Amino acid sequence: GAGVSQSPSNKVTEKGKDVELRCDPISGHTALYWYRQSLGQGLEFLIYFQGNSAPDKSGLPSDRFSAERTGGSVSTLTIQRTQQEDSAVYLCASSSLAPLPGPYEQYFGPGTRLTVT
Amino acid sequence: DAKTTQPTSMDCAEGRAANLPCNHSTISGNEYVYWYRQIHSQGPQYIIHGLKNNETNEMASLIITEDRKSSTLILPHATLRDTAVYYCIVIKNAGNMLTFGGGTRLMVKP
């Protein structure tokens, strides 16, 4: 079946511009995660959506970062006034969180490579 | 979540078994051991997970010691496509975000 898809695959933007990154999770998956990975580094959690609950935004590095998930499916991560330190690969993952009690693996998309010049 | 320790890198001959160790001495009773891998320029890929018992799927086997303080991921017949960074993580039940440390860089050589 179709996996997690992300677009664009690559994005080059100038410092100060806003960018939007899109994630299409696996159909039926209620949980959606955003992470970022800088070159040669591990995974940094950004935000987590689960069903209709309020998202866990505890990983967002600044108020320039925001995300929304419409209709419990597609999610958009927005970075305003981009800075060079925002350059990284942004990864989206989804998980079914069913059937209970778990545990549940996360399925990752290919990522969006963001370069801020 | 418990911290894990893995060797930085390992080599394996193509066709041989790759045995990747992981220490998680502070694991608690309700925490699972998960393994993911990341092939160059791709997103992480789930491999296998376990709680107490050894597990096997089409990709790998997971051997967890009786005291649960360490585990070994076994790729029974490594191929060149298995060259990747392998991450061992310990997390509680549903919904937990993942945190990858350095992982083990496995190089499968012909």
Side-chain angles (χ1 to χ4, degrees):
Chain A
V4 178
S5 61
Q6 293 186 245
S7 61
S9 55
N10 281 284
K11 176 72 176 178
V12 180
T13 190
E14 292 179 351
K15 178 181 172 181
K17 301 278 190 181
D18 298 351
V19 294
E20 283 190 354
L21 312 180
R22 177 188 168 104
C23 171
D24 282 87
I26 293 173
S27 178
H29 278 194
T30 58
L32 187 147
Y33 308 77
W34 282 98
Y35 299 88
R36 72 177 175 182
Q37 191 171 36
S38 300
L39 187 63
Q41 301 299 307
L43 222 55
E44 178 187 1
F45 164 74
L46 297 177
I47 188 169
Y48 161 51
F49 295 90
Q50 165 49 18
N52 296 321
S53 303
D56 178 350
K57 304 180 182 179
S58 60
L60 294 178
S62 77
D63 58 8
R64 296 186 295 106
F65 288 72
S66 62
E68 61 178 23
R69 188 177 185 193
T70 54
S73 182
V74 171
S75 177
T76 303
L77 178 69
T78 301
I79 309 174
Q80 296 178 309
R81 305 181 302 281
T82 52
Q83 303 295 313
Q84 288 186 329
E85 60 263 28
D86 299 335
S87 296
V89 175
Y90 288 80
L91 291 158
C92 173
S94 71
S95 183
S96 68
L97 298 192
L100 291 173
Y104 313 105
E105 57 267 29
Q106 294 181 24
Y107 296 89
F108 284 80
T112 294
R113 182 174 298 278
L114 174 67
T115 304
V116 182
T117 61
Chain B
D1 296 328
K3 180 182 167 62
T4 63
T5 305
Q6 299 176 252
T8 304
S9 64
M10 292 181 65
D11 289 345
C12 178
E14 188 178 19
R16 305 297 292 269
N19 296 282
L20 292 90
C22 179
N23 286 323
H24 30 79
S25 58
T26 60
I27 193 170
S28 58
N30 61 349
E31 289 182 315
Y32 289 78
V33 180
Y34 274 75
W35 283 83
Y36 282 78
R37 73 179 182 184
Q38 191 167 21
I39 295 169
H40 183 61
S41 297
Q42 297 184 20
Q45 177 188 23
Y46 164 79
I47 301 173
I48 198 167
H49 72 271
L51 182 63
K52 294 187 293 187
N53 300 323
N54 298 337
E55 302 288 346
T56 296
N57 63 20
E58 65 278 4
M59 290 182 68
S61 294
L62 174 61
I63 309 298
I64 302 174
T65 58
E66 192 169 343
D67 63 8
R68 304 210 320 125
K69 292 185 177 181
S70 65
S71 61
T72 302
L73 178 75
I74 301 173
L75 307 179
H77 305 287
T79 71
L80 299 179
R81 287 190 300 272
D82 292 322
T83 292
V85 179
Y86 287 76
Y87 297 100
C88 166
I89 59 175
V90 173
I91 57 177
K92 291 188 176 66
N93 212 341
N96 281 59
M97 64 289 291
L98 303 179
T99 303
F100 288 178
T104 296
R105 186 172 297 276
L106 176 68
M107 178 74 71
V108 180
K109 299 183 175 180

